[in-house]
Amino acid sequence: MKTKAFSLIIFCCVFQTFLFAQTEGMVYIEGSRYLPLYGRDSTVVEVNDFKMDVYPVTNKEFKQFVEKFPKWQKSKVIKLFADDSYLSNWKNDLELKDTENPDSPVTYVSWFAAKAYCECQGKRLPTVDEWEYVAMADETTKDARVKPSYNEKILSWYEAPRSNENLIGQTPRNIWGVYDLHGLVWEWTLDFNSVLITGESRKDVDKDSNLFCGSASVNATDLMNYAAFMRYAIRGSLKAKYAMKNLGFRCVQDVNEKK
């Protein structure tokens, strides 16, 4: 009897963890070897096959998450895991401000909260290498970095004001079937601080106005690719508890074998 009761408890715990799971809305990414445009000392990296969310996580989806897991609500989150900006665009624990759209990407979310969200779905945050690998594709080419217009288009998106207020799915879908890797919000990665940068870029300064530092270009493999430099610079300036108006996330999932 005790064994059956114990088994039932284990089952309930596992079931509760994956109750929030949403495995739909993902696409299969076939891994390969590639040379990142920034970091890793020009080392070719290998990316294994995985699945990635088609869209960034939305306000509506994150609301469902905090309803099921109250410890991530804005009034209850442990300060170690989120700074004072966490969900600052929400009225309260369960309501967005009237200016926010449920179908816009969730922002003002810390790395800890993003990581917890993905894990509650049986997923995880993408690594830097995985994110960059998918993000170097355009609508027709898996590695669009050879196209002169590719970097210019991304930079024009990055310069657009208040893009975090846009709805998901408004930018072109890339060849993998993924939307909004550029032109909407920056996105958390699992190992966002894995690229070592020097000195001044690690100072505790105002995080919205001092995210980009010249010292972050130390490991650049192509200094002309300023769009890639900007992404790595912002990652290197973050701390895991930061929550910002233009920083969201999406999830990925490991696969055991190719389709």
Side-chain angles (χ1 to χ4, degrees):
M1 179 64 75
K2 289 183 178 180
T3 301
K4 290 183 178 180
F6 179 75
S7 299
L8 181 60
I9 292 173
I10 295 297
F11 172 78
C12 290
C13 290
V14 173
F15 180 74
Q16 182 181 14
T17 300
F18 290 97
L19 182 64
F20 185 68
Q22 300 173 359
T23 56
E24 297 182 358
M26 304 191 82
V27 290
Y28 188 89
I29 309 297
E30 184 178 4
S32 184
R33 290 164 57 87
Y34 82 108
L35 180 66
L37 282 175
Y38 183 83
R40 298 301 184 109
D41 297 321
S42 303
T43 301
V44 172
V45 299
E46 183 169 359
V47 173
N48 295 323
D49 298 353
F50 65 102
K51 294 180 181 179
M52 175 176 270
D53 286 350
V54 173
Y55 303 106
V57 175
T58 64
N59 286 317
K60 177 171 59 180
E61 291 167 334
F62 200 78
K63 179 177 180 292
Q64 295 170 354
F65 168 70
V66 298
E67 286 174 347
K68 291 182 180 293
F69 301 94
K71 69 179 182 179
W72 292 106
Q73 294 173 7
K74 64 181 297 184
S75 71
K76 299 181 177 68
V77 67
I78 298 173
K79 294 305 179 183
L80 180 66
F81 299 147
D83 66 12
D84 292 338
S85 296
Y86 181 72
L87 297 183
S88 59
N89 57 339
W90 293 44
K91 284 183 183 179
N92 51 51
D93 286 343
L94 298 176
E95 290 182 287
L96 293 164
K97 289 182 179 178
D98 295 338
T99 55
E100 305 302 310
N101 193 304
D103 292 320
S104 292
V106 67
T107 56
Y108 291 107
V109 174
S110 69
W111 177 86
F112 292 107
K115 182 173 180 286
Y117 177 98
C118 293
E119 289 176 350
C120 286
Q121 298 189 52
K123 303 179 186 179
R124 59 174 173 80
L125 288 170
T127 65
V128 170
D129 288 332
E130 289 170 338
W131 197 98
E132 290 289 330
Y133 175 73
V134 181
M136 69 185 186
D138 66 4
E139 299 95 308
T140 60
T141 310
K142 290 182 180 179
D143 188 353
R145 298 174 300 178
V146 298
K147 301 180 180 180
S149 61
Y150 171 77
N151 195 48
E152 295 175 5
K153 181 187 294 186
I154 294 175
L155 281 174
S156 68
W157 282 336
Y158 287 174
E159 293 168 356
R162 301 172 65 176
S163 60
N164 58 293
E165 299 176 7
N166 296 337
L167 304 182
I168 62 168
Q170 301 300 302
T171 61
R173 180 180 65 179
N174 73 13
I175 196 170
W176 298 108
V178 178
Y179 289 86
D180 301 323
L181 287 169
H182 308 289
L184 196 57
V185 292
W186 306 102
E187 296 187 7
W188 282 112
T189 59
L190 186 64
D191 53 344
F192 68 94
N193 56 359
S194 62
V195 177
L196 298 178
I197 54 182
T198 61
E200 292 78 11
S201 49
R202 284 297 186 183
K203 285 183 179 178
D204 290 331
V205 291
D206 177 71
K207 55 182 177 290
D208 278 324
S209 60
N210 293 280
L211 285 171
F212 308 109
C213 321
S215 61
S217 64
V218 169
N219 293 323
T221 59
D222 183 357
L223 291 176
M224 295 304 293
N225 193 301
Y226 193 65
F229 160 67
M230 290 175 69
R231 292 194 296 275
Y232 280 86
I234 193 174
R235 290 173 186 139
S237 301
L238 292 172
K239 291 185 178 180
K241 69 175 184 178
Y242 281 0
M244 295 164 41
K245 66 181 179 181
N246 56 354
L247 180 60
F249 71 99
R250 74 181 71 214
C251 308
V252 301
Q253 193 172 55
D254 294 317
V255 295
N256 295 324
E257 56 185 30
K258 293 184 180 182
K259 278 187 173 182

PDB file of all heavy atoms in Angstrom, residues 110-123:
ATOM      1  N   SER A 110      12.971  38.165 -16.161  1.00  0.00           N
ATOM      2  CA  SER A 110      14.359  37.805 -15.865  1.00  0.00           C
ATOM      3  C   SER A 110      14.729  36.471 -16.494  1.00  0.00           C
ATOM      4  O   SER A 110      13.857  35.694 -16.911  1.00  0.00           O
ATOM      5  CB  SER A 110      14.567  37.719 -14.348  1.00  0.00           C
ATOM      6  OG  SER A 110      13.866  36.613 -13.806  1.00  0.00           O
ATOM      7  N   TRP A 111      16.022  36.203 -16.540  1.00  0.00           N
ATOM      8  CA  TRP A 111      16.515  34.912 -17.041  1.00  0.00           C
ATOM      9  C   TRP A 111      15.975  33.769 -16.182  1.00  0.00           C
ATOM     10  O   TRP A 111      15.589  32.721 -16.714  1.00  0.00           O
ATOM     11  CB  TRP A 111      18.037  34.918 -17.025  1.00  0.00           C
ATOM     12  CG  TRP A 111      18.691  33.635 -17.445  1.00  0.00           C
ATOM     13  CD1 TRP A 111      18.992  33.246 -18.720  1.00  0.00           C
ATOM     14  CD2 TRP A 111      19.158  32.575 -16.595  1.00  0.00           C
ATOM     15  NE1 TRP A 111      19.614  32.009 -18.720  1.00  0.00           N
ATOM     16  CE2 TRP A 111      19.726  31.576 -17.421  1.00  0.00           C
ATOM     17  CE3 TRP A 111      19.145  32.382 -15.220  1.00  0.00           C
ATOM     18  CZ2 TRP A 111      20.268  30.403 -16.918  1.00  0.00           C
ATOM     19  CZ3 TRP A 111      19.685  31.212 -14.704  1.00  0.00           C
ATOM     20  CH2 TRP A 111      20.244  30.232 -15.543  1.00  0.00           C
ATOM     21  N   PHE A 112      15.929  33.955 -14.899  1.00  0.00           N
ATOM     22  CA  PHE A 112      15.427  32.913 -14.000  1.00  0.00           C
ATOM     23  C   PHE A 112      13.972  32.566 -14.323  1.00  0.00           C
ATOM     24  O   PHE A 112      13.589  31.395 -14.367  1.00  0.00           O
ATOM     25  CB  PHE A 112      15.533  33.368 -12.540  1.00  0.00           C
ATOM     26  CG  PHE A 112      16.931  33.496 -12.024  1.00  0.00           C
ATOM     27  CD1 PHE A 112      17.493  34.744 -11.802  1.00  0.00           C
ATOM     28  CD2 PHE A 112      17.703  32.371 -11.754  1.00  0.00           C
ATOM     29  CE1 PHE A 112      18.790  34.870 -11.316  1.00  0.00           C
ATOM     30  CE2 PHE A 112      19.009  32.488 -11.266  1.00  0.00           C
ATOM     31  CZ  PHE A 112      19.543  33.742 -11.056  1.00  0.00           C
ATOM     32  N   ALA A 113      13.158  33.587 -14.551  1.00  0.00           N
ATOM     33  CA  ALA A 113      11.744  33.356 -14.861  1.00  0.00           C
ATOM     34  C   ALA A 113      11.583  32.704 -16.228  1.00  0.00           C
ATOM     35  O   ALA A 113      10.757  31.798 -16.401  1.00  0.00           O
ATOM     36  CB  ALA A 113      10.984  34.677 -14.807  1.00  0.00           C
ATOM     37  N   ALA A 114      12.356  33.173 -17.211  1.00  0.00           N
ATOM     38  CA  ALA A 114      12.297  32.579 -18.548  1.00  0.00           C
ATOM     39  C   ALA A 114      12.715  31.111 -18.508  1.00  0.00           C
ATOM     40  O   ALA A 114      12.078  30.248 -19.132  1.00  0.00           O
ATOM     41  CB  ALA A 114      13.191  33.359 -19.511  1.00  0.00           C
ATOM     42  N   LYS A 115      13.761  30.819 -17.770  1.00  0.00           N
ATOM     43  CA  LYS A 115      14.245  29.447 -17.633  1.00  0.00           C
ATOM     44  C   LYS A 115      13.186  28.563 -16.976  1.00  0.00           C
ATOM     45  O   LYS A 115      12.931  27.436 -17.424  1.00  0.00           O
ATOM     46  CB  LYS A 115      15.529  29.431 -16.818  1.00  0.00           C
ATOM     47  CG  LYS A 115      16.189  28.063 -16.630  1.00  0.00           C
ATOM     48  CD  LYS A 115      17.543  28.233 -15.948  1.00  0.00           C
ATOM     49  CE  LYS A 115      18.244  26.894 -15.741  1.00  0.00           C
ATOM     50  NZ  LYS A 115      17.617  26.110 -14.656  1.00  0.00           N
ATOM     51  N   ALA A 116      12.542  29.077 -15.932  1.00  0.00           N
ATOM     52  CA  ALA A 116      11.500  28.312 -15.242  1.00  0.00           C
ATOM     53  C   ALA A 116      10.309  28.052 -16.162  1.00  0.00           C
ATOM     54  O   ALA A 116       9.739  26.955 -16.161  1.00  0.00           O
ATOM     55  CB  ALA A 116      11.049  29.059 -13.992  1.00  0.00           C
ATOM     56  N   TYR A 117       9.935  29.043 -16.950  1.00  0.00           N
ATOM     57  CA  TYR A 117       8.826  28.881 -17.886  1.00  0.00           C
ATOM     58  C   TYR A 117       9.102  27.730 -18.851  1.00  0.00           C
ATOM     59  O   TYR A 117       8.268  26.853 -19.068  1.00  0.00           O
ATOM     60  CB  TYR A 117       8.610  30.176 -18.661  1.00  0.00           C
ATOM     61  CG  TYR A 117       7.530  30.107 -19.717  1.00  0.00           C
ATOM     62  CD1 TYR A 117       6.253  30.578 -19.463  1.00  0.00           C
ATOM     63  CD2 TYR A 117       7.790  29.571 -20.983  1.00  0.00           C
ATOM     64  CE1 TYR A 117       5.254  30.519 -20.435  1.00  0.00           C
ATOM     65  CE2 TYR A 117       6.811  29.506 -21.956  1.00  0.00           C
ATOM     66  CZ  TYR A 117       5.552  29.981 -21.677  1.00  0.00           C
ATOM     67  OH  TYR A 117       4.570  29.905 -22.644  1.00  0.00           O
ATOM     68  N   CYS A 118      10.295  27.750 -19.460  1.00  0.00           N
ATOM     69  CA  CYS A 118      10.629  26.702 -20.421  1.00  0.00           C
ATOM     70  C   CYS A 118      10.675  25.328 -19.764  1.00  0.00           C
ATOM     71  O   CYS A 118      10.160  24.344 -20.315  1.00  0.00           O
ATOM     72  CB  CYS A 118      11.971  27.011 -21.079  1.00  0.00           C
ATOM     73  SG  CYS A 118      11.978  28.481 -22.136  1.00  0.00           S
ATOM     74  N   GLU A 119      11.255  25.253 -18.579  1.00  0.00           N
ATOM     75  CA  GLU A 119      11.388  23.960 -17.896  1.00  0.00           C
ATOM     76  C   GLU A 119      10.031  23.391 -17.510  1.00  0.00           C
ATOM     77  O   GLU A 119       9.855  22.168 -17.491  1.00  0.00           O
ATOM     78  CB  GLU A 119      12.275  24.115 -16.674  1.00  0.00           C
ATOM     79  CG  GLU A 119      13.745  24.336 -17.035  1.00  0.00           C
ATOM     80  CD  GLU A 119      14.627  24.596 -15.825  1.00  0.00           C
ATOM     81  OE1 GLU A 119      14.075  24.793 -14.712  1.00  0.00           O
ATOM     82  OE2 GLU A 119      15.865  24.610 -15.995  1.00  0.00           O
ATOM     83  N   CYS A 120       9.065  24.231 -17.220  1.00  0.00           N
ATOM     84  CA  CYS A 120       7.724  23.758 -16.876  1.00  0.00           C
ATOM     85  C   CYS A 120       6.992  23.178 -18.081  1.00  0.00           C
ATOM     86  O   CYS A 120       5.933  22.571 -17.930  1.00  0.00           O
ATOM     87  CB  CYS A 120       6.907  24.886 -16.261  1.00  0.00           C
ATOM     88  SG  CYS A 120       7.388  25.278 -14.568  1.00  0.00           S
ATOM     89  N   GLN A 121       7.551  23.378 -19.258  1.00  0.00           N
ATOM     90  CA  GLN A 121       6.994  22.779 -20.462  1.00  0.00           C
ATOM     91  C   GLN A 121       7.827  21.597 -20.955  1.00  0.00           C
ATOM     92  O   GLN A 121       7.584  21.081 -22.037  1.00  0.00           O
ATOM     93  CB  GLN A 121       6.931  23.829 -21.579  1.00  0.00           C
ATOM     94  CG  GLN A 121       6.044  25.011 -21.270  1.00  0.00           C
ATOM     95  CD  GLN A 121       5.856  25.875 -22.498  1.00  0.00           C
ATOM     96  OE1 GLN A 121       5.488  25.398 -23.569  1.00  0.00           O
ATOM     97  NE2 GLN A 121       6.101  27.152 -22.362  1.00  0.00           N
ATOM     98  N   GLY A 122       8.803  21.196 -20.164  1.00  0.00           N
ATOM     99  CA  GLY A 122       9.693  20.139 -20.622  1.00  0.00           C
ATOM    100  C   GLY A 122      10.643  20.633 -21.692  1.00  0.00           C
ATOM    101  O   GLY A 122      11.159  19.854 -22.496  1.00  0.00           O
ATOM    102  N   LYS A 123      10.907  21.935 -21.698  1.00  0.00           N
ATOM    103  CA  LYS A 123      11.800  22.551 -22.678  1.00  0.00           C
ATOM    104  C   LYS A 123      12.939  23.240 -21.936  1.00  0.00           C
ATOM    105  O   LYS A 123      13.142  23.037 -20.751  1.00  0.00           O
ATOM    106  CB  LYS A 123      11.029  23.558 -23.533  1.00  0.00           C
ATOM    107  CG  LYS A 123       9.819  22.987 -24.270  1.00  0.00           C
ATOM    108  CD  LYS A 123       9.117  24.074 -25.063  1.00  0.00           C
ATOM    109  CE  LYS A 123       7.829  23.600 -25.705  1.00  0.00           C
ATOM    110  NZ  LYS A 123       7.142  24.691 -26.456  1.00  0.00           N
TER     111      LYS A 123
END
